[in-house]
Amino acid sequence: MEKFSKWRDQGTGIQPFLQPVPARLEQQGLKRLLNAAKKYVVGPVVAAVRVALLGALAVVDAATATVGGALGVVPSVRRGWTRCTRALWARIALLVLGFYRIDAKTVSLQRGRRSANGKKTPSTDGGVRSGDIVVANHVSYVDVLYLVTKYTPVFVEIDNATMFARPITPWQAIRAPARATPALLQATEARPLKSITEEARAKRLGPVVVFPENATSNGRALLQLLPVFGEFGNLDEKTNIHVVGFKYPFQSFSPAYSVGNQAAHLFGLCCQVYNSLTVRMLASDEAPRVAESPMFCDSDAEPVDLDDAVADRLLHLTRLRLTKMSAMDKRDFLAFYYKRTKGYGSTGTSAKTSSGGPPTI
């Protein structure tokens, strides 16, 4: 669309914010009739059942979280309870959404890695511990559900100026793509990432998930990554970095969520009989290490720029191109999009750009 051409990346020609749509295919006769029945009859019925099940899961999650809060006297017990229950509910939610099978693999970017005896060396995930950092691209709220299933982590929101962060709950992380990224966080809330990883390690809260794009893209390219590791206050020498890439193959409706009403997107997602998710985790011995940063590396060693190293690994892992569009560009895009979208303002949920709060959906 020409009216959104301002947000087309000049270097790649990719528009990373508009919802992806399937290629138009000419369909005839019975096939067209079957697809129409699936879209307008079967799909909505299936979606209504699924939405009801998701609502029930939300209630159950809230109840088990309350029980977990009562176990706070013993951190290890509380962590075990939270890990088991929340991971279970998140996996069930993925099943309800149609993600019956998730293509998740740990991969190596080094072709044909071989050990000293000439045999091929298998890739390893090395184990993700509390206090480690999981860096991932951000395409949809489904990313959050998968990460909860896999790690039950601590999610953070990043300040676009200071690179400090604030912890948010999984529910806040699920809702975050439905609003524009705050330009700045409250000074009283933003903390060095190191203090968050240290707290997560001490209290066994799980790894810390960082989305360096700080906003969702439509999955066709990566947004500009924030230089999170360029701020020395964020570096924790005891932390291991793990890199994860998400992609959503689709034919009719994309699970990627970058713009629009989140409830409508969720309903559309539930209309699908099944959905696909591809996850690629980088072998731990190929991930950037904090010990190699200029702050911690040996005097006789060549320091590594962690932000460049993370970007390089993420690009190769996802096989996407890097744009110069940032979270702040998406913030401007959302304000323009909802201003131009007819009828959206009448719903009472239009984007707000006043100092009273960030634009929301």
Side-chain angles (χ1 to χ4, degrees):
M1 297 183 184
E2 288 299 321
K3 61 183 177 181
F4 299 120
S5 60
K6 175 182 176 181
W7 291 278
R8 184 179 297 277
D9 181 62
Q10 297 299 316
T12 63
I14 297 173
Q15 216 294 0
F17 301 138
L18 288 174
Q19 278 294 116
V21 294
R24 290 185 178 180
L25 300 176
E26 291 295 329
Q27 297 178 343
Q28 297 180 351
L30 182 60
K31 189 172 183 179
R32 176 182 291 182
L33 182 63
L34 290 174
N35 283 337
K38 183 176 72 173
K39 183 175 182 180
Y40 298 110
V41 180
V42 179
V45 173
V46 172
V49 174
R50 285 175 165 175
V51 169
L53 289 174
L54 291 173
L57 278 173
V59 173
V60 173
D61 178 72
T64 53
T66 301
V67 174
L71 301 174
V73 183
V74 185
S76 59
V77 174
R78 180 181 181 181
R79 169 62 183 166
W81 172 266
T82 302
R83 174 79 181 91
C84 293
T85 57
R86 184 149 276 175
L88 176 62
W89 308 144
R91 185 63 188 102
I92 294 175
L94 288 172
L95 288 171
V96 171
L97 288 171
F99 294 93
Y100 308 121
R101 179 182 175 276
I102 296 174
D103 180 14
K105 295 178 182 177
T106 298
V107 300
S108 168
L109 298 180
Q110 300 175 10
R111 292 186 177 180
R113 297 197 312 175
R114 296 188 179 274
S115 60
N117 61 10
K119 294 184 178 180
K120 197 167 184 179
T121 304
S123 299
T124 60
D125 59 15
V128 180
R129 304 171 302 177
S130 289
D132 284 355
I133 293 177
V134 176
V135 178
N137 65 314
H138 202 10
V139 187
S140 174
Y141 49 86
V142 180
D143 306 344
V144 177
L145 286 175
Y146 175 82
L147 290 167
V148 170
T149 300
K150 184 75 174 177
Y151 307 117
T152 320
V154 176
F155 294 94
V156 297
E157 193 170 44
I158 306 170
D159 188 293
N160 287 274
T162 66
M163 300 303 127
F164 288 167
R166 72 180 181 98
I168 58 176
T169 67
W171 283 109
Q172 288 174 321
I174 288 172
R175 286 291 295 150
R179 62 185 178 85
T181 302
L184 298 172
L185 299 179
Q186 294 289 336
T188 55
E189 296 180 340
R191 299 160 52 189
L193 194 58
K194 179 180 178 180
S195 71
I196 299 174
T197 57
E198 288 177 337
E199 181 181 12
R201 187 181 305 113
K203 297 182 179 180
R204 299 181 182 180
L205 300 177
V208 177
V209 169
V210 173
F211 295 122
E213 294 168 287
N214 218 23
T216 53
S217 71
N218 59 15
R220 291 184 169 169
L222 294 180
L223 305 183
Q224 191 175 28
L225 309 184
L226 291 176
V228 177
F229 300 105
E231 169 56 53
F232 286 165
N234 286 339
L235 299 181
D236 181 356
E237 192 175 12
K238 296 181 180 179
T239 289
N240 294 319
I241 298 174
H242 306 269
V243 185
V244 177
F246 293 105
K247 296 184 84 171
Y248 293 88
F250 74 99
Q251 292 183 344
S252 299
F253 185 87
S254 176
Y257 172 67
S258 55
V259 68
N261 186 283
Q262 191 177 32
H265 183 272
L266 177 64
F267 191 84
L269 191 63
C270 289
C271 285
Q272 300 262 90
V273 175
Y274 68 90
N275 292 291
S276 299
L277 168 59
T278 298
V279 185
R280 292 295 179 262
M281 295 161 281
L282 181 64
S284 59
D285 55 348
E286 295 181 28
R289 296 190 301 129
V290 176
E292 298 174 336
S293 68
M295 186 174 182
F296 296 111
C297 73
D298 297 332
S299 57
D300 57 345
E302 183 71 23
V304 173
D305 187 307
L306 290 181
D307 291 304
D308 288 346
V310 165
D312 177 73
R313 306 299 198 280
L314 200 52
L315 284 168
H316 284 85
L317 200 61
T318 59
R319 296 183 180 180
L320 297 174
R321 300 175 72 181
L322 182 65
T323 69
K324 291 186 177 179
M325 296 285 107
S326 67
M328 292 298 95
D329 290 316
K330 185 175 180 181
R331 182 183 173 88
D332 294 339
F333 166 79
L334 289 176
F336 180 81
Y337 180 91
Y338 292 124
K339 184 178 180 180
R340 292 290 299 270
T341 302
K342 293 181 180 180
Y344 187 84
S346 62
T347 65
T349 55
S350 59
K352 297 178 181 180
T353 56
S354 67
S355 58
T360 59
I361 293 175

